[in-house]
Amino acid sequence: MGLRNLLGVALAFALVASGPTPAQASAPVTPPGTPQAAGTQFLSAATVDLAWMPAATGTNPIAAYEVYARRPGWNYPDQLLTTTTSAWVFVPIGGLRPATTYQLYVRARDTSGLPGPASAPVTIATLPSDIVPGPPVATDATATTATVSWRPPAVAIERIAGYDLIVPPATPTQPIQIRTSTGPSTTSAQLTGLRPGTTYTFIVVARYTDGTPRSAPSARGTVTTAPSVPPSPPSDLTVTTLTPTSATLSWTASAPGDFPISRYYTYVNGGALGVPNPGPDVRTVTFAVSPGSTYEVYVRAVDQAGIYSAPSETFTFTAPGQ
């Protein structure tokens, strides 16, 4: 064997000897931790809201949470109800049967597909369908108002004390907001003060005179208001008075869109100007400046529906030195 061949064999042995051992080649992979169920709300005939605390991250980031249901006493595989990336918010869970007991649990799955342990189960019993009202449905919607109606539960009217139209809280720490309440024979409500081009989510809760059950929530319903024409941008921005320590900004009024102008908002160097926002009939503001400093200012109008105009053109100026 020649010298060159001997050197090649020696180099190959050296590379094998210096390579990682099987134990060093890969570290153990840790799965995600166990989520902790935080509670439920608005249990209905076929739905419930479930919230849980985030699971601890293992070796890989958490990709999703999976919510499963099992029915005690049934020898069937657990049912995957939903997959979501959310945690510490109420997630609407559907696909349940009326008047049925379930155990719900959550597990995290990481980006490699490795699942973590299941949370402790939460036991629920869905309500009979006859005591649950139908979800709210928008029967008429404008930019700022909407009429919603719902189907009454299939019970005698004397059992019903009334209805509450509720905005479901997003997280366990938010309060329940009752938007309006009606009497037992009223199954619609007129909503005002809505924002144009916005989708709202509501549920209806039937209150019963006998208190058993005390309330029965509907499934979720959504209301989407019509879009609105915004005001035009303010124009002709200029500084009418300028000293080393103050500047007076003025502009030409915006043209209203679908609603009257409510106020003007002024901005400097990308942030709020820090002065009172003038009303619709005032189109000038005075603010403090520093000698020799340069400022970029612009103005936006907002109407009575809360819709902002596009920004005006930016006006740039430099305060004189002292």
Side-chain angles (χ1 to χ4, degrees), residues 133-142 145-152 164-166 187-191 194 199-205 218-225:
V137 176
T139 55
D140 182 33
T142 69
T145 65
T147 300
V148 296
S149 59
W150 54 90
R151 173 184 50 79
D164 294 329
L165 187 68
I166 290 176
T187 56
S188 65
Q190 177 72 24
L191 305 178
L194 305 178
T199 297
Y200 295 86
T201 299
F202 298 103
I203 63 170
V204 176
V205 170
S218 71
R220 278 171 160 78
T222 59
V223 175
T224 300
T225 53

Side-chain angles (χ1 to χ4, degrees), residues 13 53 56 61 88 103 141 181 213 223 233-234 237 241 246 280 283 287 300:
F13 275 113
M53 298 287 289
W88 192 239
Q103 290 180 334
S181 296
V223 175
L237 235 66
T241 304
S246 69
R283 293 177 293 278
F287 57 99
R300 298 180 72 180

